Amino acid sequence: VMINNISVARPYHSGLQDAYLVYEIIVEGGITRLMAVYKDKDTERIGSIRSSRHYFLDYALENDAIYVHLGWSPTAKSDITTLGVNNINGLYDNVHWRDNSLNVDMEHTAFTSIKKISDITSKKNYRTTTTTDPLLNYTVEEIDLSKETNGEVATNVSVRYSTTTTTSYKYNEDEKVYYRLVNNKAHVDYVTKEQYTAKNIIVAFVSNGALRGDSSGRQDLNNIGTGEGYYITNGYAVPITWEKSTRKSQTIYKLKNGAEIQVSDGNTYIQIAPEKSLTIGE
């Protein structure tokens, strides 16, 4: 589900804690959008939902997910058809409602639920099962990156997307999770009033630039190929590499010794971020 992350909409974020994966990627204007991935949940309020950008499709496809959005950029509209993405678009599908009680412009008031998504999925005869392996290799054992030769303390993590958007995390040793902040302000759920947390953080450095022929400042992402990044969990970080061979293929995250990473059982934020955007430390 595409999630609006402009500052005026952020106080009304709902349902992100139920997502087992959340991607954050830059869009036009130096802001970011989120894509929340759900499985086996019955979340009653998710949003606010927003329009598609074409490179988010690559990450929906690698999870074999039904892609939910409200509108689309011209490139995303074309690519959804070309790539054969099972999508639900609020422009045509009754997947959302408006919460007019919010003190924000109407474009930021659209919310959905797993039930509404499931109802439309059934009407469209989309698959609801998959034979695709999970993107990440989970383990019930706690991952201890301090034992890695290049592991380093990472109780404070900051990812700077632009001059206006910085996402950061602060590790809670007792709970063994990272508390999430945006621009040094706690990122809190509108319904539960609780701050969002992450068990795992993956940072993949991916360069972006202006989309050719687009007059609205939309971005393109150089996410096919290989690159560097970091895996962060349980208070430590290690450098990793990422590899994505096609738009539909799964991204593979590996340690520097070539072994595919294992992740702690729990939710994960994947920060697709600009080069040299990461700061970690105590």
Side-chain angles (χ1 to χ4, degrees):
V1 183
M2 288 294 295
I3 305 292
N4 192 0
N5 197 36
I6 196 169
S7 59
V8 294
R10 199 173 300 122
Y12 308 112
H13 274 173
S14 304
L16 289 177
Q17 196 62 47
D18 280 354
Y20 74 97
L21 276 178
V22 179
Y23 292 81
E24 182 171 12
I25 311 177
I26 199 162
V27 295
E28 61 272 17
I31 62 174
T32 63
R33 285 193 182 165
L34 308 174
M35 189 183 76
V37 186
Y38 297 85
K39 185 177 183 179
D40 300 328
K41 291 292 183 179
D42 192 25
T43 312
E44 295 181 352
R45 178 177 168 118
I46 301 170
S48 60
I49 64 174
R50 209 68 168 95
S51 60
S52 174
R53 295 295 179 267
H54 65 283
Y55 38 82
F56 281 94
L57 303 175
D58 305 9
Y59 299 104
L61 286 165
E62 73 177 5
N63 289 284
D64 195 21
I66 296 166
Y67 183 66
V68 182
H69 57 107
L70 176 53
W72 40 23
S73 66
T75 307
K77 179 180 180 180
S78 174
D79 286 357
I80 283 173
T81 300
T82 301
L83 295 169
V85 180
N86 284 352
N87 79 112
I88 295 174
N89 184 356
L91 290 180
Y92 308 106
D93 303 311
N94 184 25
V95 74
H96 70 279
W97 69 88
R98 296 281 181 183
D99 186 344
N100 295 318
S101 70
L102 304 181
N103 184 29
V104 69
D105 290 341
M106 188 182 73
E107 62 184 307
H108 308 308
T109 63
F111 295 84
T112 189
S113 67
I114 295 297
K115 184 180 186 306
K116 289 186 80 70
I117 293 169
S118 296
D119 288 346
I120 294 173
T121 294
S122 179
K123 290 178 182 178
K124 288 177 170 284
N125 292 319
Y126 285 158
R127 286 185 297 108
T128 57
T129 60
T130 183
T131 57
T132 300
D133 289 335
L135 176 73
L136 302 173
N137 298 318
Y138 296 94
T139 175
V140 295
E141 298 179 2
E142 290 286 348
I143 299 293
D144 185 1
L145 298 179
S146 69
K147 296 179 179 179
E148 298 291 331
T149 56
N150 48 10
E152 53 187 301
V153 174
T155 53
N156 286 286
V157 178
S158 177
V159 182
R160 188 175 186 267
Y161 279 92
S162 69
T163 56
T164 59
T165 305
T166 297
T167 297
S168 56
Y169 298 88
K170 188 172 181 60
Y171 185 60
N172 183 304
E173 188 170 1
D174 294 331
E175 299 176 25
K176 297 188 182 300
V177 295
Y178 285 86
Y179 278 79
R180 181 177 160 92
L181 305 94
V182 183
N183 295 337
N184 294 318
K185 185 176 181 180
H187 189 189
V188 175
D189 188 272
Y190 178 69
V191 176
T192 67
K193 311 304 180 188
E194 294 181 356
Q195 188 173 355
Y196 290 126
T197 62
K199 180 61 177 178
N200 308 293
I201 305 162
I202 294 174
V203 181
F205 299 128
V206 180
S207 61
N208 62 282
L211 179 62
R212 183 178 298 178
D214 187 280
S215 60
S216 299
R218 296 186 185 93
Q219 298 294 290
D220 204 1
L221 204 66
N222 296 317
N223 64 333
I224 306 303
T226 61
E228 306 289 323
Y230 273 83
Y231 170 44
I232 304 163
T233 193
N234 292 327
Y236 284 83
V238 291
I240 60 172
T241 62
W242 62 264
E243 178 181 347
K244 188 172 175 64
S245 57
T246 69
R247 295 188 67 179
K248 292 185 178 183
S249 64
Q250 291 186 327
T251 308
I252 300 171
Y253 300 99
K254 293 181 179 181
L255 300 171
K256 290 293 187 175
N257 64 10
E260 194 167 343
I261 68 169
Q262 287 188 310
V263 299
S264 300
D265 191 20
N267 70 322
T268 302
Y269 274 79
I270 299 180
Q271 309 288 151
I272 307 296
E275 301 281 352
K276 300 180 180 180
S277 60
L278 178 65
T279 303
I280 56 177
E282 297 186 42

